[in-house]
């Protein structure tokens, strides 16, 4: 399992719903927890490890959680700004404005439906990871000025991500078939 960098097409592609919550899928979730903690992340979405599926793992300080086929039902009008980073965009951090509170529904790894209201940090991680399932990265939300500031570093990462995506093309296919 390898974390893909911005520039890799898998981070921008379509994602598919999970239909089977079998042991193979649970094993995959475990691997993703491992990768997330190894990389010191608080969230990791399937496309970030080359899999075009609608799920992510996160740890908002209350332990690990798998979020499968998620939907954000509503967003608060109130917005807050918070610094974000991303395992697919290493070493770049930026202040991003997002709704403070969200209502969500998703399935856990046992296929049970969960409904929750999340706020502040928890809502932040959820929104960031959910964006990955729609092919959106936090740097997309930056102003022109803020983007300009990180342009050089971003271009280097995109180049590396494109190369890596090509190299891993076959592994990507194999992983899709395995799921
Ligand atoms: Zn991310």
């Amino acid at each position: 399992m390898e974390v893909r960098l911005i520039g890799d097409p898998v981070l921008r592609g379509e994602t598919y719903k999970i239909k089977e919550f079998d042991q193979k899928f649970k094993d995959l979730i475990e691997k993703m927890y491992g990768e997330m903690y190894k990389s010191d992340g608080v969230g990791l979405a399937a496309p970030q490890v080359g899999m075009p599926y609608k799920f992510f793992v996160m740890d908002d300080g209350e332990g690990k959680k798998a979020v499968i086929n998620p939907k954000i039902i509503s967003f608060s009008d109130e917005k807050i700004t918070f610094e974000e980073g991303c395992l697919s965009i290493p070493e770049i951090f930026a202040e991003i404005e997002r709704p403070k509170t969200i209502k969500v529904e998703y399935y856990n790894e046992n296929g049970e439906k969960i409904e929750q209201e999340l706020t502040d940090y928890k809502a932040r991680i959820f929104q960031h990871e959910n964006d990955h399932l729609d092919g959106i990265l936090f740097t997309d939300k930056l102003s022109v000025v803020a983007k300009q500031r990180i342009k050089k570093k971003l271009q280097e990462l995109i180049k590396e991500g494109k190369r890596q995506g090509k190299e891993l093309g076959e592994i990507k296919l194999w992983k899709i078939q395995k799921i």
Side-chain angles (χ1 to χ4, degrees), residues 35-98:
E35 188 63 43
M36 176 176 73
Y37 290 125
K38 193 181 87 186
S39 316
D40 271 331
V42 292
L44 183 67
Q48 289 184 278
V49 288
M51 293 179 293
Y53 289 96
K54 290 193 191 296
F55 71 94
F56 58 82
V57 296
M58 62 182 274
D59 187 340
D60 53 25
E62 282 182 3
K64 58 191 186 184
K65 177 156 95 177
V67 174
I68 300 146
N69 302 337
K71 239 195 266 173
I72 301 179
I73 309 293
S74 67
F75 300 86
S76 64
D77 290 334
E78 188 184 350
K79 291 184 178 179
I80 52 167
T81 300
F82 206 88
E83 187 177 70
E84 292 188 27
C86 181
L87 294 178
S88 296
I89 317 174
E91 291 166 45
I92 291 179
F93 299 89
E95 300 274 324
I96 305 286
E97 189 186 69
R98 294 184 191 263

Side-chain angles (χ1 to χ4, degrees), residues 48 85-88 128-129 132 137-138:
Q48 289 184 278
C86 181
L87 294 178
S88 296
H128 175 113
E129 297 309 326
H132 276 298
L137 301 170
F138 82 90

Side-chain angles (χ1 to χ4, degrees), residues 88-119:
S88 296
I89 317 174
E91 291 166 45
I92 291 179
F93 299 89
E95 300 274 324
I96 305 286
E97 189 186 69
R98 294 184 191 263
K100 180 181 165 74
T101 303
I102 52 174
K103 277 192 189 134
V104 301
E105 58 179 47
Y106 60 92
Y107 293 84
N108 67 13
E109 62 265 58
N110 298 316
E112 295 153 348
K113 194 174 182 180
I114 315 276
E115 287 177 41
Q116 279 177 328
E117 187 173 283
L118 303 173
T119 195

